[in-house]
Amino acid sequence: MSLESSGVFKDQKHHAGVSLSTKDVDTGAQLVAGLTSTLHPDEALRIRKKIDKHIMPMMCVLYWVQFMDKTTLGSAAILGIEQATHLTTNEYNWLGTVFYLSYLVFEYPQNLALQRFPVGKWMSINIFVWAVALASHAACKNFAGLLVVRLLLGVCEGSITAGFLIVSSMFYTRTEQTLRVGYWFLMNGTAQIISGFISFGTLHISTKGFEPWQWLMIITGLITLVLALSFWFLFPDSPTNAWFLTPDERAKAVQRIKENQTGVENKRFKKEQMIEALTDYKTWLFALFSALDNVPNSLTNQQTLILASFGFNALQTTLLSCVPGVIEILTIFTGVRIAARRPNSRAYVGAVYFVPAWLGILLVNLLPWSNRTGLLIGQFLTGCSVPGFVLSLSWLNSVTAGHTKKVVTNAIMLSAYCIGNAAGPFMWKTQYKPRNHVPWAVIGACYVVCPVLLLVIRAVLARENKLRDAEPVDDEEEYVIERITEDGKRVEVKVDKEFLDLTDRQNRDFRYVL
């Protein structure tokens, strides 16, 4: 597809180049247009460290808190929420499902809002509503009340992962994204550990008329509220206006990610990019992987119930629920480090981590019920597959260009994530207890298909790269945008192709990382 036919810019020649509308190009184009000097590696490293210092701690803390908050239902189960609110097994499962149904319904609107409004501010508003809804759990007396607050949690969470993926692509190179996405995602494991200790602490709170599970909701709600206020004042919306960077550093921060060929962002929704996202085969391959890989995620809310069924008491179960968090931290950390150090190894690394998970499934299903230690080890091993999904998130982010296309593909990927999570809880029926062979068989099937899908995606993208390598190189055409100088003069400055907000299909120089 030629640039002229892509709808990316105004089709008019001016002097030696094509004159572009600033609405059509990337927001970073204004900062780097006309720059001819190369950014020194030491300066690039200094800026990256400064970015890390100001945004990574906040991203990690938020991802820890949001995962802890959404899994409070599982922690509350062992603290007495089912008895206090008279929940049946089916109603309890529905509370897990409805969270992801509302997440699914609002995922696309959330992604559109993230494109239209400042990313940091929009996430802050969602975190605030999330905090209020979470604390409101403590006031619920029945299934209907819990259903409403779980719906609100699902609506708000749709902005978090999608927002973080956009922010990661704004501030970091493709290799750096693999590590950074892994770092903030492994906070899910930290959340399981801290949530376990908070639950353990609330078990020892004895208050007349106020049960431990209610204290859990109030404590986590207050933590989230403080975080919402912090995000509003401290989290940046983009490298083009980050408060902690000087004007010169902002330009260099944008110049630093030039190699991504994905730019920073574009606030205008482009219909042609949406259509391209919907017709791109890799969008649906990643979506299928996301859906199947997250059916087993229903284990999050079932974990404490399964551990209790092994014969552990409430205190032991609460403490043992911290172990999966440790496993998740270790597997994600090692997985993303290996993938970042070995070029084009994302699919291979992700696929390998499904092997111990499969071993865990076999142990849980084949060991005698009396072998409590073996069952426990098997249960914990099933959590080793997480790096596959984490790598797929950063991978999709790195192989998708064009801001509208990225927003749409993220929405589809995370919607598929919701479908998998919403379907999962219905596997856990009373008649399957205590061995739960049917749910484990479904999880096993998902863990066979998922690594195969990763390898298929890699093969298709590698083939596309070879086709592009064989294409003749087009003569470079210059593109310019109009800029107003400090003295009010209008001048035309050259803008690099990387900041034209082209999609990965439109830009034939784009190469897919594997």
Side-chain angles (χ1 to χ4, degrees):
M1 180 184 292
S2 69
L3 295 179
E4 282 81 7
S5 64
S6 67
V8 175
F9 55 80
K10 295 179 179 178
D11 186 16
Q12 60 176 7
K13 300 285 182 179
H14 194 81
H15 298 300
V18 179
S19 181
L20 309 177
S21 165
T22 53
K23 291 181 180 179
D24 289 325
V25 299
D26 190 85
T27 54
Q30 285 281 9
L31 285 179
V32 297
L35 288 180
T36 55
S37 58
T38 304
L39 186 61
H40 193 278
D42 290 342
E43 180 67 359
L45 178 62
R46 184 187 69 80
I47 291 172
R48 194 208 74 196
K49 287 181 177 180
K50 191 171 185 179
I51 292 169
D52 279 341
K53 177 183 175 182
H54 286 88
I55 72 170
M56 281 305 297
M58 296 195 71
M59 292 174 79
C60 288
V61 171
L62 177 59
Y63 221 71
W64 153 52
V65 168
Q66 67 93 24
F67 188 83
M68 180 178 68
D69 289 354
K70 73 180 177 183
T71 55
T72 47
L73 182 65
S75 302
I78 207 70
L79 297 177
I81 192 173
E82 289 179 284
Q83 296 77 17
T85 55
H86 315 292
L87 295 177
T88 64
T89 300
N90 191 48
E91 286 174 339
Y92 177 79
N93 289 338
W94 260 107
L95 291 179
T97 296
V98 78
F99 173 90
Y100 289 104
L101 287 177
S102 60
Y103 188 140
L104 172 64
V105 171
F106 283 88
E107 183 56 33
Y108 186 61
Q110 283 280 19
N111 273 268
L112 290 182
L114 286 166
Q115 180 179 21
R116 177 67 182 83
F117 303 113
V119 176
K121 299 298 183 291
W122 181 253
M123 283 197 293
S124 303
I125 294 169
N126 278 274
I127 300 166
F128 179 81
V129 176
W130 175 291
V132 174
L134 184 63
S136 299
H137 277 64
C140 296
K141 304 296 182 185
N142 51 37
F143 172 69
L146 288 171
L147 189 72
V148 172
V149 289
R150 295 293 294 178
L151 274 168
L152 282 173
L153 290 187
V155 171
C156 296
E157 199 204 335
S159 68
I160 307 301
T161 303
F164 275 15
L165 288 173
I166 291 172
V167 170
S168 296
S169 66
M170 284 180 179
F171 284 94
Y172 295 107
T173 65
R174 294 199 282 190
T175 301
E176 291 167 355
Q177 284 175 47
T178 301
L179 286 172
R180 270 59 186 184
V181 171
Y183 291 159
W184 51 255
F185 203 98
L186 66 76
M187 297 307 291
N188 286 354
T190 307
Q192 292 181 58
I193 298 169
I194 297 175
S195 179
F197 283 115
I198 292 176
S199 300
F200 182 78
T202 56
L203 265 174
H204 294 81
I205 298 177
S206 180
T207 310
K208 189 177 180 181
F210 213 72
E211 299 187 27
W213 68 268
Q214 292 173 301
W215 276 114
L216 175 67
M217 299 302 181
I218 292 294
I219 292 168
T220 51
L222 288 174
I223 293 171
T224 309
L225 184 62
V226 171
L227 192 58
L229 297 173
S230 302
F231 252 71
W232 179 270
F233 292 107
L234 299 175
F235 198 76
D237 299 311
S238 161
T240 61
N241 60 10
W243 64 269
F244 55 84
L245 297 175
T246 65
D248 179 61
E249 288 173 336
R250 291 171 188 170
K252 289 176 179 177
V254 172
Q255 191 180 7
R256 206 178 70 82
I257 62 164
K258 179 180 175 181
E259 65 181 72
N260 293 354
Q261 300 200 59
T262 56
V264 179
E265 65 175 340
N266 185 291
K267 291 298 185 185
R268 190 172 74 84
F269 185 83
K270 299 180 180 179
K271 183 181 177 181
E272 67 276 5
Q273 288 195 13
M274 179 192 74
I275 294 171
E276 182 178 316
L278 295 173
T279 55
D280 192 334
Y281 56 84
K282 74 175 183 295
T283 300
W284 301 106
L285 285 172
F286 274 108
L288 180 59
F289 171 83
S290 180
L292 294 177
D293 191 50
N294 281 285
V295 169
N297 209 30
S298 55
L299 279 167
T300 302
N301 284 329
Q302 298 293 330
Q303 191 85 251
T304 53
L305 299 176
I306 294 173
L307 293 176
S309 73
F310 291 162
F312 297 103
N313 61 36
L315 286 175
Q316 291 170 328
T317 299
T318 303
L319 289 175
L320 284 171
S321 65
C322 299
V323 178
V326 176
I327 293 172
E328 187 165 339
I329 291 170
L330 293 175
T331 52
I332 293 176
F333 182 79
T334 55
V336 297
R337 295 288 293 184
I338 294 169
R341 288 187 178 186
R342 290 187 167 274
N344 297 322
S345 64
R346 291 166 177 81
Y348 299 142
V349 174
V352 164
Y353 276 86
F354 281 95
V355 176
W358 239 101
L359 175 61
I361 292 171
L362 292 175
L363 290 174
V364 169
N365 283 275
L366 300 179
L367 287 176
W369 195 243
S370 57
N371 190 345
R372 193 163 70 163
T373 304
L375 291 171
L376 195 61
I377 292 171
Q379 176 73 23
F380 291 153
L381 281 175
T382 59
C384 291
S385 64
V386 184
F389 183 67
V390 177
L391 289 169
S392 73
L393 282 176
S394 61
W395 194 9
L396 178 62
N397 218 30
S398 299
V399 297
T400 308
H403 197 70
T404 299
K405 183 177 182 181
K406 191 184 291 285
V407 163
V408 175
T409 52
N410 284 346
I412 292 171
M413 176 81 164
L414 294 173
S415 294
Y417 158 86
C418 294
I419 291 170
N421 276 288
F426 290 106
M427 302 186 299
W428 305 92
K429 295 184 181 296
T430 306
Q431 61 262 38
Y432 300 144
K433 293 179 178 180
R435 295 308 302 249
N436 291 307
H437 286 309
V438 173
W440 284 118
V442 174
I443 291 172
C446 290
Y447 282 173
V448 168
V449 178
C450 284
V452 173
L453 277 173
L454 288 176
L455 298 175
V456 168
I457 292 169
R458 189 187 193 282
V460 211
L461 295 180
R463 178 178 174 273
E464 179 63 25
N465 282 343
K466 287 181 180 178
L467 291 174
R468 294 189 180 200
D469 289 340
E471 292 176 0
V473 180
D474 290 335
D475 292 332
E476 280 293 326
E477 189 162 21
E478 287 191 355
Y479 303 93
V480 295
I481 60 172
E482 194 175 75
R483 175 187 283 172
I484 300 176
T485 61
E486 292 181 359
D487 56 1
K489 292 182 180 179
R490 292 179 179 271
V491 295
E492 287 186 340
V493 287
K494 181 184 174 185
V495 60
D496 291 320
K497 191 177 183 180
E498 290 84 354
F499 296 102
L500 297 183
D501 194 39
L502 298 176
T503 67
D504 50 278
R505 278 188 179 177
Q506 292 168 345
N507 182 3
R508 304 308 291 176
D509 292 333
F510 189 96
R511 293 296 180 272
Y512 297 104
V513 292
L514 305 174

